[in-house]
Amino acid sequence: MDTEQIKPSEVSDILLSELQRIDLTAQFAEVGTVLQVSDGVVRIFGLRNAEANELLEFDNGMRAVVMNLEEDNVGAVLLGPTDRIEEGDLVRRTGRTASIRVSEAMLGRVIDPLGEPLDGKGPIGGDLTEMPLERKAPGVIFRQPVNQPLQTGLKAVDAMIPIGRGQRELIIGDRQTGKTAIAIDTIINQRRCFEAGDPIYCIYVAVGQKASTVAALVETLRRHGAMDYTVVVAATAADSAAMQYFAPFAGTAIGEYFRDTGRHALVVYDDLSKQAVAYREVSLVLRRPSGREAYPGDIFYLHSRLLERAAKIIDQQEVAERMNDLPESLWGKVRGGGSLTALPVIETQAGDVSAYIPTNVISITDGQIFLDADLFNQGNRPAIDVGISVSRVGGNAQIKAMKRVAGTLKIDQAQYRELESFSKFSSDMDAVTAAVLDKGRKNTRLLVQPQYSPMPVERQIAVLYCGTHGLMREIPVERVADFERELLRELETSEVFPTLREGVIDEATAAAIEAAAERVSSHLKA
């Protein structure tokens, strides 16, 4: 070819087209080198373009998540044992944020925070969807008011501190006061919704517990048929601080998968006190400054961005599809009307709810169930302190019949507690005070419930009607449990339970309950 005939413009076009065909990322993947490794944290040189929460991969298959972006290095937490990484190892960026792959096949399984199975039943199959661990919470325009009940099956909770779908209700108390028992009973009670075709998918997140405790808990759920709709995410005490830190985020991501596909989910974080300790450990190794009570100053932000993701999404699909920070993997699958309910658990020291972590989580949530050690030791189980416990959703999360029957129960019980403490100083009392104390004692006994035996809401309403209307005046306190059992047996064949299940308590239903209570009382007196 005659070189004089080649035009400069043609040369530039040819060079440009050749350059565009070169895949620069394939040849020049960003690679870093490990500078230092200690206590589950690595410092890496060379990843100048790494992003916060990005997943990194080592040559041996180990992974880490970027947490610190500093001027001359990147701080990342290892998702695995520290002894598998050495100084000088190569690290590659993946370009993906830390995430968990979720599918329907996770139901009934025990997994770690990375989505890997721990139950020995083989890999998790199904149509896996990538859900980010960290995600922006839905904005105000994507939420609707919480007005649909989430029944726990516990008379004390459903009557006095009701929980709604999309609510965040804190369970708080000292060690061994029944915090986990409330959460497990709530999960077991969802069996009724599952069988009725309106399932609430449950995610139980175990943080920093003994592996034997988690195994016993899974066996309990399996025995009561609750594993059919439950996923257990376990980061035990033997796991690294990073895994314990990420476990609640993994549970939330699984819950969001069900929520954003138009279904209802419940996530239990047991417990966030241990997650706070794990985060403190990771933060101090990363040399992040500590704050109040030696915790990192951003511990409030950690729990708030976790719990704010619980929400009831508006029932408008076209708007729900535009929801903030929606993962690409969910495009085309989004449905409105779903909800994610959160039950965080916090452990207190000697009942001190004014400590740093408890006050943080109390201010984030929509109410708290406070369990008192003294009440627990007296045999009142669940040991709920009605004076401190509250639900900021309240009657909006109750069916009409329960709202009508239990409307005064909480204030009656609070008054009884006050009167009881004063009556210890008095040798004689008037008839009105004596009647209030008698009614309070019997209602307290009526609210006692054995573990793993949640009660359908229609049975709760029938029993509580007798308590709030003083229909147990004639029977002694020690026969209250017998009264409850015989009353429910008496009403079994009547039309009372189907009517109450519909949320209706008309004159005929009330008369039927009163007549049954009268028959049972006379039988127990005799």
Side-chain angles (χ1 to χ4, degrees):
M1 184 187 287
D2 188 355
T3 54
E4 292 180 5
Q5 292 178 349
I6 298 175
K7 297 176 183 176
S9 60
E10 290 176 355
V11 174
S12 62
D13 289 342
I14 293 165
L15 286 171
L16 184 62
S17 64
E18 290 296 320
L19 286 168
Q20 284 173 339
R21 257 181 284 176
I22 297 171
D23 185 2
L24 293 172
T25 56
Q27 294 184 34
F28 303 104
E30 197 169 340
V31 179
T33 311
V34 175
L35 293 174
Q36 181 191 357
V37 56
S38 62
D39 298 318
V41 169
V42 286
R43 295 196 176 276
I44 303 158
F45 175 77
L47 301 182
R48 294 189 63 83
N49 297 316
E51 298 175 0
N53 288 316
E54 185 178 351
L55 202 61
L56 306 178
E57 204 164 299
F58 296 85
D59 283 346
N60 62 4
M62 274 269 287
R63 289 178 286 179
V65 178
V66 176
M67 285 190 73
N68 269 25
L69 299 172
E70 297 179 23
E71 200 171 337
D72 55 349
N73 69 77
V74 166
V77 289
L78 287 170
L79 301 175
T82 308
D83 56 13
R84 288 184 58 192
I85 303 299
E86 294 179 356
E87 187 180 329
D89 283 358
L90 296 181
V91 196
R92 286 176 177 78
R93 288 183 63 199
T94 62
R96 296 188 295 121
T97 56
S99 56
I100 182 171
R101 293 161 73 79
V102 186
S103 80
E104 311 285 329
M106 274 185 174
L107 295 169
R109 301 297 299 271
V110 183
I111 60 169
D112 69 10
L114 304 176
E116 300 297 327
L118 298 173
D119 51 11
K121 294 183 178 178
I124 291 164
D127 182 15
L128 291 163
T129 300
E130 197 93 7
M131 297 295 294
L133 297 181
E134 286 266 19
R135 187 176 159 202
K136 192 176 174 184
V140 175
I141 60 166
F142 302 108
R143 297 173 182 251
Q144 61 171 311
V146 174
N147 52 22
Q148 203 174 353
L150 187 143
Q151 305 289 353
T152 66
L154 298 168
K155 289 170 284 187
V157 176
D158 291 343
M160 299 188 291
I161 314 126
I163 300 169
R165 298 186 189 185
Q167 189 175 342
R168 301 154 300 177
E169 185 75 13
L170 171 63
I171 303 171
I172 185 169
D174 285 5
R175 276 189 82 247
Q176 300 293 314
T177 51
K179 300 186 297 298
T180 301
I182 287 180
I184 296 306
D185 279 354
T186 303
I187 291 173
I188 291 170
N189 194 54
Q190 304 318 310
R191 179 86 205 167
R192 300 180 220 285
C193 295
F194 183 71
E195 289 172 347
D198 179 28
I200 296 176
Y201 297 100
C202 303
I203 302 98
Y204 178 82
V205 183
V207 184
Q209 298 179 30
K210 290 184 292 186
S212 59
T213 304
V214 178
L217 188 142
V218 170
E219 184 52 39
T220 299
L221 291 175
R222 189 168 282 118
R223 199 168 59 247
H224 289 88
M227 284 303 285
D228 295 342
Y229 50 86
T230 303
V231 183
V232 176
V233 182
T236 63
D239 288 319
S240 66
M243 294 292 260
Q244 293 181 45
Y245 162 67
F246 282 119
F249 289 102
T252 307
I254 297 167
E256 284 179 329
Y257 168 78
F258 291 109
R259 182 198 72 189
D260 294 343
T261 49
R263 293 170 288 178
H264 301 284
L266 165 71
V267 60
V268 175
Y269 307 107
D270 193 8
D271 66 36
L272 291 187
S273 307
K274 292 188 178 74
Q275 190 210 15
V277 170
Y279 179 62
R280 176 171 176 252
E281 184 181 327
V282 168
S283 292
L284 294 176
V285 176
L286 281 166
R287 297 186 182 277
R288 290 184 173 183
S290 56
R292 186 175 151 198
E293 292 188 27
Y295 273 97
D298 55 353
I299 191 73
F300 180 92
Y301 179 51
L302 163 70
H303 285 151
S304 66
R305 73 177 187 265
L306 178 73
L307 294 168
E308 283 294 331
R309 289 159 72 178
K312 190 175 183 195
I313 303 302
I314 52 170
D315 201 4
Q316 295 176 36
Q317 187 177 334
E318 65 280 3
V319 181
E321 284 174 346
R322 300 200 303 271
M323 195 156 53
N324 334 16
D325 215 18
L326 191 69
E328 200 172 317
S329 53
L330 277 181
W331 291 356
K333 300 179 186 177
V334 175
R335 299 288 179 274
S339 72
L340 176 60
T341 309
L343 292 181
V345 176
I346 288 286
E347 185 182 300
T348 54
Q349 306 293 326
D352 182 13
V353 291
S354 63
Y356 181 42
I357 303 294
T359 50
N360 276 355
V361 185
I362 285 170
S363 64
I364 295 163
T365 50
D366 306 310
Q368 68 275 348
I369 298 169
F370 179 72
L371 302 176
D372 184 67
D374 292 337
L375 290 173
F376 184 86
N377 294 332
Q378 289 165 22
N380 297 326
R381 300 172 188 182
I384 295 172
D385 186 326
V386 292
I388 300 178
S389 302
V390 66
S391 169
R392 295 190 184 99
V393 173
N396 290 342
Q398 288 176 313
I399 62 173
K400 284 182 181 176
M402 176 63 90
K403 192 174 178 179
R404 181 177 157 189
V405 167
T408 61
L409 182 62
K410 190 169 189 285
I411 197 161
D412 286 351
Q413 288 303 97
Q415 285 175 343
Y416 158 66
R417 292 259 174 249
E418 290 292 319
L419 270 177
E420 187 187 35
S421 58
F422 280 113
S423 66
K424 291 172 184 174
F425 303 104
S426 175
S427 55
D428 60 330
M429 60 184 76
D430 60 280
V432 175
T433 306
V436 170
L437 286 170
D438 181 65
K439 184 180 175 183
R441 283 191 201 100
K442 287 170 183 173
N443 281 349
T444 300
R445 187 78 196 100
L446 200 64
L447 293 172
V448 172
Q449 202 165 331
Q451 198 173 353
Y452 310 137
S453 56
M455 187 182 283
V457 67
E458 63 272 14
R459 288 169 169 256
Q460 292 184 41
I461 294 167
V463 168
L464 292 169
Y465 182 92
C466 298
T468 54
H469 287 77
L471 302 182
M472 298 185 291
R473 283 186 299 270
E474 305 297 323
I475 62 165
V477 175
E478 57 271 14
R479 301 301 303 273
V480 168
D482 298 331
F483 174 87
E484 179 185 343
R485 191 166 50 252
E486 292 198 23
L487 176 81
L488 294 174
R489 194 182 300 132
E490 189 86 18
L491 294 172
E492 196 71 61
T493 54
S494 70
E495 287 299 308
V496 168
F497 290 153
T499 308
L500 292 176
R501 203 175 297 130
E502 297 297 317
V504 177
I505 183 160
D506 50 25
E507 287 182 15
T509 306
I513 295 171
E514 286 173 14
E518 180 64 36
R519 289 195 297 273
V520 172
S521 290
S522 58
H523 172 252
L524 290 176
K525 275 193 298 180

